[in-house]
Amino acid sequence: MTVLRAGGATDIGLVRANNQDSLLSADSVSLFAVADGMGGHAAGEVASETAVNALKAAWAAAGGRGPEALVEAAREANREVWRTAQATPGLRGMGTTLVAVALTGEGDSEELAVVHVGDSRVYLLRGGELEQLTVDHSLVAELVAEGKLPADEAEFHPQRHVLTRALGVDAEVPVDLVTVTPFRGDRLLLCSDGLIREVSDAQVASILRRLADPSEAAKELVAEARLRGGNDNITVLIVDVVDDGDKAAKASAALAAEPGLVFPPDLGTDAGDTTALPAVPAAPNRLQRRREARLAASGGRPKARLVTVRVVGFFVLLVLILVAAAAGLGWYARSTYYVSVAGGQLTVYKGRPGGVLWFKPTVAERTGVTTTQVEARHLQELQAGVQESSLGAARSYVSNLTQEYAAAQGASSPTTSTTSTPATVPTTTTTPQASTTAPAPTTGPPASPAG
Ligand code: MG
């Protein structure tokens, strides 16, 4: 179960005649709000006070406790300010901003709902990092969003106070909603523009990191805004998530269990500035939000992922490489022919003499030419195997050997006939193809081509 602790401060500032900001911290219904009123005389004060009171009443009366109920409560607050303004002549034209945070849902589905109208803001400090959750409903903010005004010029724009949305101006107003899964150590800051215009985001973040107590931090922020000018009313409300029902620990464990992911180990424990904060498990940062969402969708229990996509991809690639290597090796082993001797007969083999790994040579052709029909000086290299690039080349080589032998026999003994050429050796081939690429071993047993 989520437990919140809040602390706030509001101040008139150094220039204004009255404080038109209102602050609501209702722990009993886990509802927190800041409103910044505007209007002549006391109208601004009435507008902001009416808004937070109506919000609280509508929230307390709401049937459901979902984020939409908070949106509806804000709409009801708008109607109440609008009705009051219409009913009271001196209050016509009054209006107010509103930012509100409420704890919604139950159990593991608890969420912080953030609604806003106008230019008051809500920030989230998580893991030492400050993030603005709301987008101002103001003319300059819209110009900046549309790229028509540089962000650094917005601060000095003459129309920087002009709002595009406020409560009480019309009978109905659109309300923006953001939801945040609460993790222990999270710190929400609600504030009026009197803080933002005086104190930079970096300075705000520094104070939020340094002071653990929400009331002390709120007072320090107000004091800082006064120190830097105090040109407007300043209101600050800080809401800390002091317990989350072990959600942060579960999320951290789930993330740690996920292979292939490395997050900064010092996340949320930024040394120095955070020493004053109580030690809490590091809550996920922005990068991890989607994982939180997935985790929440699976009922909060981390799913054991035995095989990730990356691991599968690696093994598929490895198998492809091995198949390609085997195919290449097979091609190399089987791409050539050689002539050797088997059973006293010259034989053409497909493959390499002796084979390559498990690729053994096979008999391509028995030539019918015996060792007695070739010059004796060729026998040793034939025993080792004479390589040829193709079956045709191997046949030519054999043919050349028989022709050479026949010529030698004809020269020494004209009466001996050697006209019987084996049918398998084409006699039309005339290109000499005798190989010189296979030097024969001078000692040792001849390589056995039989495999
Ligand atoms: Mg203001």
Side-chain angles (χ1 to χ4, degrees):
M1 184 187 159
T2 303
V3 178
L4 306 175
R5 180 177 58 159
T10 184
D11 190 89
I12 193 172
L14 301 174
V15 175
R16 298 291 170 94
N18 50 6
N19 189 349
Q20 302 190 327
D21 288 357
S22 286
L23 179 155
L24 171 73
S25 183
D27 291 282
S28 58
V29 287
S30 297
L31 177 66
F32 309 90
V34 165
D36 179 352
M38 61 211 78
H41 305 290
E45 285 166 82
V46 174
S48 65
E49 204 180 328
T50 302
V52 296
N53 288 339
L55 179 81
K56 187 184 176 186
W59 177 247
R65 273 284 185 273
E68 283 303 320
L70 186 63
V71 172
E72 185 46 43
R75 288 205 188 107
E76 182 50 37
N78 172 66
R79 287 179 212 117
E80 186 60 28
V81 178
W82 164 253
R83 280 192 293 263
T84 307
Q86 298 306 303
T88 319
L91 299 178
R92 291 219 172 195
M94 73 175 179
T96 182
T97 71
L98 178 71
V99 286
V101 172
L103 184 63
T104 66
E106 286 174 4
D108 277 349
S109 64
E110 277 181 327
E111 278 183 315
L112 289 170
V114 177
V115 297
H116 91 285
V117 174
D119 68 351
S120 296
R121 291 180 183 175
V122 179
Y123 290 84
L124 169 66
L125 185 79
R126 174 175 286 181
E129 211 183 315
L130 192 67
E131 182 186 358
Q132 188 179 329
L133 297 179
T134 55
V135 180
D136 293 352
H137 298 136
S138 69
L139 194 64
V140 290
E142 285 180 7
L143 289 173
V144 170
E146 289 167 16
K148 292 175 182 168
L149 182 72
D152 54 352
E153 284 180 29
E155 199 180 333
F156 309 102
H157 196 278
Q159 289 181 295
R160 63 186 177 277
H161 295 291
V162 176
L163 299 184
T164 52
R165 258 191 244 179
L167 260 60
V169 178
D170 279 307
E172 292 296 335
V173 71
V175 175
D176 285 359
L177 168 71
V178 178
T179 59
V180 177
T181 303
F183 287 102
R184 187 146 55 113
D186 283 352
R187 171 165 262 192
L188 287 158
L189 165 69
L190 293 73
C191 61
S192 63
D193 64 339
L195 173 74
I196 301 145
R197 293 195 200 291
E198 312 290 3
V199 189
S200 71
D201 281 9
Q203 188 69 25
V204 168
S206 174
I207 291 169
L208 289 176
R209 286 193 292 254
R210 181 157 53 81
L211 298 170
D213 183 83
S215 295
E216 273 180 40
K219 282 177 194 154
E220 179 76 11
L221 285 169
V222 168
E224 191 69 28
R226 284 176 60 94
L227 203 65
R228 289 166 189 259
N231 288 293
D232 194 1
N233 307 144
I234 310 143
T235 301
V236 173
L237 181 54
I238 293 168
V239 182
D240 287 340
V241 179
V242 294
D243 196 359
D244 63 5
D246 272 348
K247 221 180 297 167
K250 282 181 205 164
S252 294
L255 288 164
E258 195 148 359
L261 283 167
V262 179
F263 288 106
D266 60 343
L267 188 75
T269 54
D270 191 16
D273 267 340
T274 54
T275 47
L277 286 173
V280 293
N285 64 6
R286 253 173 273 183
L287 292 169
Q288 294 162 292
R289 290 268 173 77
R290 260 190 290 177
R291 298 192 175 279
E292 282 171 27
R294 200 178 58 200
L295 197 62
S298 67
R301 278 178 292 107
K303 279 184 187 166
R305 297 177 66 199
L306 296 176
V307 183
T308 65
V309 171
R310 212 179 296 178
V311 171
V312 169
F314 172 77
F315 280 109
V316 166
L317 190 66
L318 192 66
V319 167
L320 287 175
I321 288 168
L322 289 174
V323 166
L329 188 68
W331 177 85
Y332 167 79
R334 304 279 296 160
S335 63
T336 62
Y337 293 79
Y338 69 96
V339 180
S340 192
V341 178
Q345 187 179 138
L346 268 62
T347 305
V348 180
Y349 291 88
K350 185 172 169 61
R352 287 176 192 268
V356 178
L357 293 181
W358 58 90
F359 295 100
K360 299 303 178 194
T362 54
V363 174
E365 198 168 275
R366 294 188 188 280
T367 63
V369 179
T370 65
T371 51
T372 57
Q373 292 174 285
V374 298
E375 293 282 289
R377 58 192 167 88
H378 294 299
L379 292 180
Q380 200 171 32
E381 66 182 30
L382 278 168
Q383 289 289 350
V386 176
Q387 289 193 49
E388 294 294 344
S389 60
S390 67
L391 183 60
R395 284 170 178 164
S396 296
Y397 171 67
V398 173
S399 176
N400 287 339
L401 288 180
T402 55
Q403 281 173 24
E404 180 194 51
Y405 179 77
Q409 291 301 305
S412 63
S413 171
T415 57
T416 306
S417 171
T418 56
T419 52
S420 64
T421 307
T424 52
V425 179
T427 53
T428 51
T429 308
T430 53
T431 314
Q433 288 285 338
S435 172
T436 55
T437 58
T442 50
T443 58
S448 168

